[in-house]
Amino acid sequence: VRSYDYLDNPSDYTTDNLTVIYDTINPSFSSLSVSPYYAKNSTTVYINFTASEALNSSPIVTVNGNSATQIPNSSNNYYYNYSVADPNSAATINISGYDLSGNSGNYTNSTALFIDNTAPSFTNEYPRNNSITNNNQTTISVTINDGDVGINTSSIEVSLANSTSNIITTNHTITSCTAMNRSCDIALNYTGELKTDNYTIKVNASDMLGNSKSFNWRMTVNTNAPNINITKPSSNEITSSKNITFNITSSIGNINLSSIIVTLTGSGSSVFNSTADCTNSTQSAYCTYNDTGITESTTGVIIEVNDEYGNPGINNQPFAYDETEPDLSVSYSDLISTNSTNITLNINDNKKIDILYF
């Protein structure tokens, strides 16, 4: 840089180099790491990622729209923590920031963190809740389910108590588990024979995050009671058939066909007719019929019967009826190339999608 006065006399001058960097590249964020992957409310998760270049300030990090807190970073490696207070779902993590030239970068991830506040559930209890069995050595079992982090098998507690709350046993066996303990079958163990009485079975279980739940059900043992075996529908079946089929056997008295009561749970009014729908031979009966009272809101069936001496028997079966076809829709680009195109198929059903044909 040189300067001149009005008479064109030059001044002394110095030479210096000036480097100008032209930057239009947006910063990017990579190597996202979240620990733990599964978290429940009140858990602190740690978020780590790398920026592709130096930034003019710390990036903004949110989880489901809520701000995460920065902890000391190293060079372009950034560290944040976040206290979970979110509903169950895959969490959305968003990272945004600016480089030294003011170029903005943004990164979104919905697979690195899953929020799980749901405790295990219980299905397939046997004997059924509020049922009466004439087997005083009956199997007692239940299935524990947790579709996310899996069941903490060491947390499982089981007890069998009689009508006066005396504990008969707390011994149980885990008979089988699926991968990651997401479903486990439990059998309760006891010795000898159960007396005629009312019994309560209690099960406690937690998942691997500590989400816990208890489940109770009741049964009655009466060695003189008629036994009811429901064969159609099967337990927890989703069916398009309205057929109900069951067998009744009695150990001491004849079956009183006129005492049979069929009740639909959820919704619907059964059209069962014992005279038309059953055949019997003294201490056994076979009943099968199509129950037109079943609706898509029906959740199960309860069957009750007495023998000739008034000994009651009762059993139930959960199921779902589905007569609605799945809803299908196809979407694709208006312009289809000769090489390839993306075709999106959406399938919605009010119960369960089971088999796909292409």
Side-chain angles (χ1 to χ4, degrees):
V1 178
R2 298 187 66 180
S3 64
Y4 296 83
D5 63 15
Y6 287 105
L7 298 177
D8 288 332
N9 296 309
S11 64
D12 293 334
Y13 67 91
T14 58
T15 301
D16 197 3
N17 294 321
L18 177 64
T19 301
V20 177
I21 299 176
Y22 182 60
D23 178 12
T24 61
I25 299 175
N26 295 329
S28 61
F29 304 98
S30 61
S31 303
L32 175 67
S33 173
V34 180
S35 179
Y37 169 71
Y38 284 103
K40 67 175 183 177
N41 284 350
S42 300
T43 300
T44 297
V45 296
Y46 296 91
I47 303 169
N48 168 225
F49 58 91
T50 301
S52 60
E53 57 182 301
L55 304 177
N56 68 359
S57 61
S58 298
I60 297 173
V61 179
T62 62
V63 179
N64 292 334
N66 303 310
S67 297
T69 301
Q70 185 181 10
I71 51 182
N73 65 295
S74 173
S75 184
N76 292 339
N77 296 316
Y78 289 88
Y79 303 89
Y80 287 72
N81 60 31
Y82 176 73
S83 180
V84 176
D86 301 84
N88 281 24
S89 69
T92 299
I93 299 174
N94 185 262
I95 304 170
S96 60
Y98 295 86
D99 65 15
L100 300 178
S101 299
N103 299 306
S104 63
N106 190 78
Y107 174 77
T108 299
N109 180 287
S110 297
T111 61
L113 174 63
F114 191 90
I115 310 301
D116 176 16
N117 298 307
T118 303
S121 62
F122 305 84
T123 57
N124 298 328
E125 73 278 3
Y126 185 86
R128 294 295 180 199
N129 185 37
N130 294 323
S131 64
I132 300 173
T133 178
N134 58 15
N135 182 359
N136 57 11
Q137 292 182 310
T138 183
T139 297
I140 301 176
S141 60
V142 67
T143 300
I144 307 174
N145 309 285
D146 189 89
D148 296 319
V149 295
I151 301 156
N152 180 358
T153 55
S154 65
S155 74
I156 299 173
E157 298 176 338
V158 183
S159 66
L160 172 68
N162 62 17
S163 60
T164 59
S165 299
N166 290 325
I167 301 297
I168 307 301
T169 183
T170 59
N171 193 310
H172 69 275
T173 301
I174 301 174
T175 57
S176 65
C177 285
T178 60
M180 292 182 63
N181 295 336
R182 286 178 168 168
S183 179
C184 292
D185 294 326
I186 310 299
L188 191 146
N189 305 317
Y190 61 93
T191 58
E193 298 178 346
L194 297 176
K195 297 179 180 179
T196 294
D197 201 352
N198 299 317
Y199 294 90
T200 299
I201 304 98
K202 178 181 289 187
V203 185
N204 299 318
S206 302
D207 66 13
M208 295 302 293
L209 293 180
N211 297 307
S212 62
K213 191 173 183 179
S214 296
F215 177 66
N216 300 344
W217 82 94
R218 294 174 176 81
M219 69 169 190
T220 296
V221 174
N222 181 351
T223 55
N224 295 327
N227 184 67
I228 304 169
N229 180 33
I230 304 171
T231 58
K232 290 185 180 179
S234 59
S235 176
N236 293 307
E237 179 182 4
I238 300 176
T239 178
S240 59
S241 170
K242 293 187 176 183
N243 180 262
I244 293 179
T245 300
F246 55 94
N247 297 289
I248 305 172
T249 56
S250 176
S251 58
I252 62 170
N254 295 338
I255 302 297
N256 180 358
L257 281 184
S258 63
S259 71
I260 301 175
I261 299 174
V262 177
T263 304
L264 300 176
T265 61
S267 76
S269 180
S270 177
V271 296
F272 173 74
N273 183 318
S274 61
T275 302
D277 300 331
C278 299
T279 58
N280 75 305
S281 56
T282 61
Q283 291 182 315
S284 66
Y286 172 80
C287 305
T288 184
Y289 71 106
N290 289 323
D291 200 323
T292 58
I294 293 174
T295 74
E296 288 209 355
S297 297
T298 300
T299 58
V301 60
I302 301 172
I303 299 174
E304 303 170 76
V305 67
N306 295 327
D307 66 12
E308 63 178 315
Y309 302 115
N311 293 305
I314 185 170
N315 201 358
N316 64 79
Q317 194 88 293
F319 74 94
Y321 176 72
D322 182 10
E323 61 182 7
T324 302
E325 297 177 349
D327 177 59
L328 306 179
S329 64
V330 178
S331 60
Y332 50 86
S333 172
D334 291 336
L335 179 62
I336 300 178
S337 72
T338 57
N339 294 324
S340 64
T341 189
N342 291 323
I343 298 176
T344 302
L345 174 63
N346 295 307
I347 306 173
N348 297 293
D349 191 74
N350 63 339
K351 293 291 192 302
K352 179 183 179 183
I353 298 171
D354 194 12
I355 301 174
L356 300 178
Y357 297 96
F358 292 95

